[in-house]
Amino acid sequence: MPVLKTNDGTEIYYKDWGSGQPIVFSHGWPLSADDWDAQMLFFLNHGFRVIAHDRRGHGRSAQVADGHDMDHYADDLAALTAHLDLNSAIHVGHSTGGGEVVHYLARHGESRAAKAAIIAAVPPLMVQTAANPGGLPKSVFDDFQTQVATRRAEFYRDVAAGPFYGYNKPGAKPSEAVIQNWWRQGMMGSAKAHYDGVVAFSQTDFTEDLKTITLPVLVMHSEDDQIVPYADSAPLSARLLKNGVLKTYKGFPHGMPTTEAETINADLLSFIKADQGRLA
């Protein structure tokens, strides 16, 4: 398997297909690069080089005990771009991966990047604080950690069969294959990485990161997202970005890159091809 070794010795698994302008995909918690199948095949067939890695402790990457925080996530992404010598890359992040992309660009600069897109992403800040009264109470995320520590397999099944894909909504038609694939990806990873990752995605404040980014960023989010509530995420991120474009959806779930791949892929392609990062 293709892997790179980071500065702290962690082995990171990645996929690298095709040639052309690179698109680098950063996945959500607690999944893997496999969650981007619908995007990687689509963009590969449109002449792009597509790359996705398993975050440390996730998927096929090393199940190390430490480093499950946004600084390490961003540094691992920087190590990947350097290892593959990527230039003019488009970075696409879903959920926690959106935070990873934002922190990477702010922490390591934009010299290797051309554009970015964050989908149903956690920035600016998920947890409720005095400065972020619209966030979710910390108790929500404490419960996530309790569930990971005590009944991870059942919890992952419940998330995939319920709010992640909107399968808990009236009239929804759950796909057993999609649910099982989410569960499979989650259970491949490390309970320790997933436990610590809850803090990383919920308590990292990306406000200053967003302010520093100058390249075009497409912010894609559904008003019906049950995992990362819309009002306290996408509109705020788009306003903080110097060159942000907000694309709002109705009725789509948090996992819309999978269930609504046709729409998401088309909008991403329009953004990538458009001048100045604007949607065509």
Side-chain angles (χ1 to χ4, degrees), residues 2-170:
V3 296
L4 67 92
K5 187 168 286 190
T6 66
N7 289 337
D8 68 357
T10 301
E11 290 191 336
I12 302 294
Y13 166 86
Y14 65 91
K15 306 176 187 183
D16 180 7
W17 305 339
S19 59
Q21 186 176 15
I23 306 179
V24 185
F25 296 93
S26 293
H27 65 78
W29 178 97
L31 303 171
S32 74
D34 295 352
D35 203 44
W36 290 112
D37 285 353
Q39 284 68 49
M40 291 187 69
L41 290 170
F42 175 86
F43 285 100
L44 178 66
N45 290 332
H46 279 77
F48 292 90
R49 179 183 178 185
V50 292
I51 298 143
H53 67 293
D54 291 354
R55 188 171 297 118
R56 63 169 56 212
H58 295 62
R60 291 140 293 205
S61 291
Q63 294 198 7
V64 292
D66 302 311
H68 308 297
D69 55 71
M70 279 295 165
D71 284 352
H72 281 86
Y73 296 168
D75 293 351
D76 292 348
L77 181 54
L80 177 66
T81 60
H83 177 73
L84 298 177
D85 193 25
L86 302 181
N87 292 290
S88 297
I90 296 123
H91 284 270
V92 180
H94 176 242
S95 197
T96 299
E100 177 180 289
V101 167
V102 165
H103 200 51
Y104 158 74
L105 292 170
R107 185 173 170 88
H108 291 276
E110 303 173 7
S111 63
R112 289 184 176 272
K115 295 180 181 181
I118 57 175
I119 307 172
V122 298
L125 174 62
M126 281 201 75
V127 74
Q128 185 180 70
T129 65
N132 185 42
L136 295 170
K138 184 175 178 292
S139 59
V140 171
F141 305 109
D142 291 344
D143 182 62
F144 273 33
Q145 288 189 304
T146 298
Q147 298 295 327
V148 169
T150 60
R151 54 184 297 273
R152 186 166 71 123
E154 295 170 273
F155 177 52
Y156 286 0
R157 170 77 193 190
D158 292 345
V159 171
F164 197 92
Y165 294 115
Y167 290 154
N168 57 347
K169 300 187 75 172

